[in-house]
């Protein structure tokens, strides 16, 4: 694979030679949620040029970070997924996401909010120390998409779609109440009182949710 070499005998320099090209890290971010078709990746990265997506996927394959496989019958098509080497990037991406979130307020004009970006925000905001020993399932409905969160003995799993047995369903009705809870700018009582958020299940669990997912 042709890379931009930095001429530095340094682990960070080597890492940037592999994932430093534009869009590469966001492709890895999206694949952290599981295997995706090319069309899924295009939908989750609406601003990426198709030729750049194809090139980056090829580069990630050549670097051993991603692989392709054919879906079994009766499904058709090919999906891309991370290798174990690629999944090893997750802690670094979470740390970068947490660092970048410090400067975020409102979306800038033209910025898309995708299911993959929201899923990454939950990984980024998750506080294992606040969830130590806890087991709870959350279904977060964000209008156009739904994120499922499963905390099992303090370990987090993030996916797309409805949760099979949620302890709490959190539904955004207006504004950005979920982000406000995660930032600590508003309390569970406040977002429930103004009607911007609706819950199904024990409302007290919304407080635990806000403790576990906090920027």
């Amino acid at each position: 694979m042709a890379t931009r070499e930095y001429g530095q005998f340094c682990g960070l320099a080597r890492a940037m030679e592999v994932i430093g090209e534009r869009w590469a890290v966001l492709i890895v971010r999206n694949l952290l949620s599981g295997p995706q078709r090319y069309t899924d990746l295009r939908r989750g990265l609406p601003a990426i040029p198709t030729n750049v997506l194809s090139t980056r996927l090829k580069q990630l394959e050549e670097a051993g970070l991603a692989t392709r496989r054919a879906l079994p019958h009766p499904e058709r098509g090919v999906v891309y997924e991370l290798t174990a080497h690629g999944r090893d990037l997750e802690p670094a991406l979470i740390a970068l996401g947490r660092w970048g979130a410090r400067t975020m307020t409102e979306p800038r004009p033209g910025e898309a909010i995708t299911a993959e970006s929201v899923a990454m925000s939950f990984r980024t905001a998750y506080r294992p120390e606040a969830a130590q020993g806890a087991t709870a399932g959350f279904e977060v409905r964000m209008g156009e998409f739904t994120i499922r969160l499963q905390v099992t003995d303090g370990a987090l799993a993030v996916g797309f779609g409805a949760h099979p047995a949620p302890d709490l369903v959190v539904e955004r009705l207006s504004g950005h109440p979920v982000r406000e809870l995660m930032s600590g700018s508003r309390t569970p009582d406040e977002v429930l009182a103004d009607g911007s958020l609706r819950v199904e299940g024990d409302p007290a669990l919304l407080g635990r949710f806000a403790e576990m997912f906090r920027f």
Side-chain angles (χ1 to χ4, degrees):
M1 178 179 68
T3 62
R4 298 182 183 181
E5 296 182 357
Y6 291 95
Q8 295 276 309
F9 188 67
C10 166
L12 181 58
R14 294 290 173 86
M16 292 303 295
E17 288 174 2
V18 176
I19 60 168
E21 294 288 350
R22 193 168 185 229
W23 294 103
V25 167
L26 292 187
I27 294 171
V28 173
R29 178 203 69 184
N30 285 18
L31 292 178
L32 283 173
S33 296
Q36 294 199 1
R37 293 179 172 89
Y38 182 90
T39 51
D40 298 327
L41 289 163
R42 280 282 296 122
R43 184 169 55 250
L45 298 165
I48 191 172
T50 55
N51 64 317
V52 173
L53 177 56
S54 298
T55 299
R56 295 292 175 266
L57 286 169
K58 183 178 179 181
Q59 290 172 336
L60 291 173
E61 285 186 84
E62 291 176 349
L65 301 183
T67 187
R68 281 180 294 173
R69 66 176 172 85
L71 292 170
H73 185 79
E75 296 186 72
R76 294 181 179 180
V78 172
V79 292
Y80 294 86
E81 59 188 345
L82 294 177
T83 62
H85 187 42
R87 289 192 297 272
D88 284 344
L89 285 166
E90 184 172 7
L93 266 60
I94 288 173
L96 279 171
R98 185 172 295 143
W99 181 79
R102 296 176 189 171
T103 63
M104 293 174 64
T105 52
E106 294 294 317
R108 294 181 298 203
E111 285 190 328
I113 298 175
T114 65
E116 291 83 0
S117 65
V118 174
M120 189 65 197
S121 73
F122 282 116
R123 291 190 182 92
T124 298
Y126 183 59
R127 300 293 180 177
E129 66 276 10
Q132 194 169 18
T135 295
F138 301 98
E139 179 176 310
V140 185
R141 301 172 183 170
M142 302 290 287
E144 295 182 359
F145 53 82
T146 297
I147 305 293
R148 62 177 179 270
L149 308 168
Q150 179 62 45
V151 178
T152 304
D153 195 22
L156 174 67
V158 182
F160 301 128
H163 193 291
D167 296 291
L168 186 71
V169 174
V170 178
E171 183 176 7
R172 179 184 66 83
L173 299 180
S174 63
H176 305 286
V178 175
R179 189 175 77 231
E180 290 165 346
L181 281 177
M182 294 166 69
S183 70
S185 62
R186 301 183 72 199
T187 67
D189 287 343
E190 288 172 339
V191 297
L192 289 174
D194 72 3
S196 60
L197 193 77
R198 184 179 73 87
V199 298
E200 296 176 12
D202 183 359
L205 278 176
L206 188 61
R208 291 290 286 132
F209 173 88
E211 291 171 359
M212 293 180 188
F213 300 94
R214 177 65 60 89
F215 287 117

